[in-house]
Structures are given as structure tokens and as C-alpha cells.
């Protein structure tokens, strides 16, 4: 299980879906789960129904029941987050049940270093940090990195979004290698050819690490 985690909101879900699509293009099965109960909108980006979702998994229903195939991504299933704050669940009950359901399980984490972010980081096997070059986002991602290390979860690297070039200072600040730089693809970011190619390269790097 690979946690996708970072600082400020706005880049994690795009990275989760972009990487899921890239891994799916390698003919591997991919499950992408939205663990961000405060901003539960991965299903909107993936254009799937919001229910059933992780709440059903936490209640003991089969993971397949809460898995929705996006219309434009082959080999990918989406498990949405609960829709409202009133539907809050125990992520500790739901997430472990996803671990053996696909070749690759990606978990979009809440932004920052709060208590809600700690649970998926603790459960995941590895963490992929995501940040933009924005100083505030970098600072918050550094806090996320510190929390992952404190929990004993291995950070495999960093994805730098909204940038088409590596930035050595990002690697120095976060203490992890930058595995990919994802250019700004505009409004329809995941349809941009340069963005798609960048996620394909990221998937190749992760597969070479046998994750």
C-alpha cells in the first residue's frame, strides 16, 4: 500500500489519479482509495459515483462493492471517501482491508500533519510525498515527511507538481529524492500529453523499485 501525502491540498488527488492511470496502462490492477474525509472529492476527479464508499468497507462489506471503475482509466478502481462529516469512519478499520485487492493500492491522504493524516501513513507500506514549489506547500510537506518518519513508514521519494524541472532545494528540504516533476497541465491537467508522459515515467520509476 502506497500513501500519497503532502502539505497543502490541491495536488495529492491529481497525483493519485495520474499515477493510478499510469500504473493501469502497464496492465496492472490498481485500487485508488480516498482517505481524505475532510475533502472527499477523488470521485469527482475520477468521474465515478460517491457511494458505496469507504464507509461500506469499514462496515464489513466487500471491497468490490465500494469500488468504482473510472470511465477513462483501464485497470483502475476508485474507492471514494465518505461523503459528509456525519459519515466519518475509522480509517483503521477500512484501509487494511484494501491491501490485497489489487497489484497496487494507492491511498490519497489528508493534507498536512494532523491526526487524520497519521492513520493512513501508519497503515501504508510506503509514502510518496507530493508538493508544489510553493514555499508554504513545501513547509507543510516537510511536516508530513517528519510525521511519516516518526511513524516508521518509509518515504520512497517526492513528486514535484506544477513544475517541469527538478529543484535540488526540494530534495534537500524533504530529505528524499525527487522521482518526478509534473508540469502544469492547465485545467484539464490529466488530459495533457506532457502530464501523462510524466506520470508514465513516475510509474516506471516506482515499478523499478518493485513497489
Amino acid at each position: 500500500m502506497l500513501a500519497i501525502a503532502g502539505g497543502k491540498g490541491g495536488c495529492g488527488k491529481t497525483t493519485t489519479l495520474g499515477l493510478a492511470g499510469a500504473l493501469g496502462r502497464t496492465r496492472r490492477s490498481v485500487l485508488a482509495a480516498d482517505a481524505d474525509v475532510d475533502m472527499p472529492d477523488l470521485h469527482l476527479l475520477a468521474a465515478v459515483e460517491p457511494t458505496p464508499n469507504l464507509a461500506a468497507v469499514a462496515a464489513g462489506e466487500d471491497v468490490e462493492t465500494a469500488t468504482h471503475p473510472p470511465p477513462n482509466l483501464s485497470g483502475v478502481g476508485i474507492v471514494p471517501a465518505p461523503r459528509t462529516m456525519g459519515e466519518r469512519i475509522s480509517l483503521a478499520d477500512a484501509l487494511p482491508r484494501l491491501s490485497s485487492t489489487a497489484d497496487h493500492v494507492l491511498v490519497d491522504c489528508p493534507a498536512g500533519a494532523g491526526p487524520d493524516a497519521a492513520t493512513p501513513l501508519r497503515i501504508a507500506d510506503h509514502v510518496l510525498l507530493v508538493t508544489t514549489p510553493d514555499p508554504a506547500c513545501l513547509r507543510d510537506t516537510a511536516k508530513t515527511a517528519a510525521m511519516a518518519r516518526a511513524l516508521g513508514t518509509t518515504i520512497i521519494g517526492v513528486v514535484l507538481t506544477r513544475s517541469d524541472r527538478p529543484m535540488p532545494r526540494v530534495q534537500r528540504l524533504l530529505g528524499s529524492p525527487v522521482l518526478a516533476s509534473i508540469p502544469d497541465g492547465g485545467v484539464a491537467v490529466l488530459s495533457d500529453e506532457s502530464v501523462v508522459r510524466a506520470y508514465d515515467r513516475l510509474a516506471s520509476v516506482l515499478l523499478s523499485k518493485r513497489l
Side-chain angles (χ1 to χ4, degrees):
M1 183 179 292
L2 178 63
I4 312 295
K8 298 287 186 181
C11 56
K13 288 182 174 60
T14 302
T15 298
T16 299
L17 201 57
L19 177 57
L23 290 169
R25 287 189 288 276
T26 67
R27 299 186 182 277
R28 289 165 171 83
S29 60
V30 186
L31 189 71
D34 188 355
D36 189 350
V37 294
D38 289 329
M39 295 184 64
D41 55 6
L42 182 65
H43 69 281
L44 296 175
L45 190 62
V48 301
E49 293 298 320
T51 57
N53 52 46
L54 271 179
V57 178
E61 294 189 31
D62 290 340
V63 174
E64 289 184 0
T65 301
T67 302
H68 306 264
N72 299 317
L73 295 178
S74 176
V76 177
I78 303 295
V79 181
R83 296 175 62 188
T84 66
M85 294 295 288
E87 205 179 3
R88 291 184 74 95
I89 61 167
S90 170
L91 293 176
D93 291 335
L95 294 181
R97 300 190 60 217
L98 308 180
S99 60
S100 60
T101 56
D103 295 328
H104 300 278
V105 177
L106 311 180
V107 178
D108 177 70
C109 298
D116 286 339
T119 298
L121 289 178
R122 184 181 293 110
I123 293 170
D125 301 299
H126 303 91
V127 181
L128 181 65
L129 299 174
V130 184
T131 186
T132 69
D134 177 72
C137 189
L138 284 168
R139 287 194 296 270
D140 282 353
T141 304
K143 296 176 184 177
T144 303
M147 182 169 66
R149 292 186 175 103
L151 293 170
T153 307
T154 302
I155 299 172
I156 59 170
V158 181
V159 176
L160 181 62
T161 65
R162 301 176 191 171
S163 175
D164 56 3
R165 58 188 177 84
M167 301 177 67
R169 69 184 179 92
V170 172
Q171 181 168 319
R172 291 195 298 270
L173 175 65
L174 300 180
S176 296
V178 176
L179 303 182
S181 296
I182 312 295
D184 187 344
V187 176
V189 58
L190 292 176
S191 299
D192 184 271
E193 289 186 6
S194 63
V195 171
V196 171
R197 288 195 299 270
Y199 280 119
D200 283 342
R201 290 192 294 271
L202 173 61
S204 295
V205 171
L206 295 180
L207 291 174
S208 72
K209 295 178 177 289
R210 299 188 178 183
L211 297 174

